[in-house]
Amino acid sequence: MLHPSEPPGDSIFRDDPGRPIPAQSTEWRTLKASGRVVLSNGKIGLLDADVDPLANPSTGTSIADARTLDLTWTRWIVEPPASGVDEKATFTTT
């Protein structure tokens, strides 16, 4: 937890036994990065090596190209104050 007198920065990466960092094998991370890990009906599975992860499995057509989000409405977003007491009554500072 970051205390009011503590500077921000790498403090969020401190060892905290309540929030251990999960360990993942290199093979698993490689499968995820290549798009072969899928979640289907609440179960984790793997696509075969010859399956294109960027194709619709029903039709075989490619997934749409990247799009740019419409940001014209962002002026209506109100950010919370940078310091003060949050919903859990924890004091935070910038």
Side-chain angles (χ1 to χ4, degrees), residues 31 34-37 46-54:
L31 289 169
S34 66
R36 294 196 43 219
V37 176
L46 295 176
L47 293 175
D48 292 332
D50 59 340
V51 173
D52 181 3
L54 297 178

Side-chain angles (χ1 to χ4, degrees), residues 7-91:
D10 291 341
S11 59
I12 61 171
F13 298 108
R14 286 192 303 239
D15 291 334
D16 181 356
R19 299 189 85 179
I21 297 174
Q24 297 180 350
S25 70
T26 303
E27 179 185 14
W28 178 250
R29 289 182 293 159
T30 302
L31 289 169
K32 289 192 313 183
S34 66
R36 294 196 43 219
V37 176
V38 296
L39 180 63
S40 178
N41 296 324
K43 296 181 181 176
I44 296 174
L46 295 176
L47 293 175
D48 292 332
D50 59 340
V51 173
D52 181 3
L54 297 178
N56 182 329
S58 301
T59 63
T61 58
S62 295
I63 295 174
D65 292 336
R67 304 276 191 240
T68 301
L69 295 175
D70 177 16
L71 301 177
T72 57
W73 54 270
T74 57
R75 65 186 173 130
W76 300 107
I77 295 176
V78 177
E79 295 291 337
S83 63
V85 179
D86 65 10
E87 286 88 10
K88 291 185 176 182
T90 304
F91 182 76

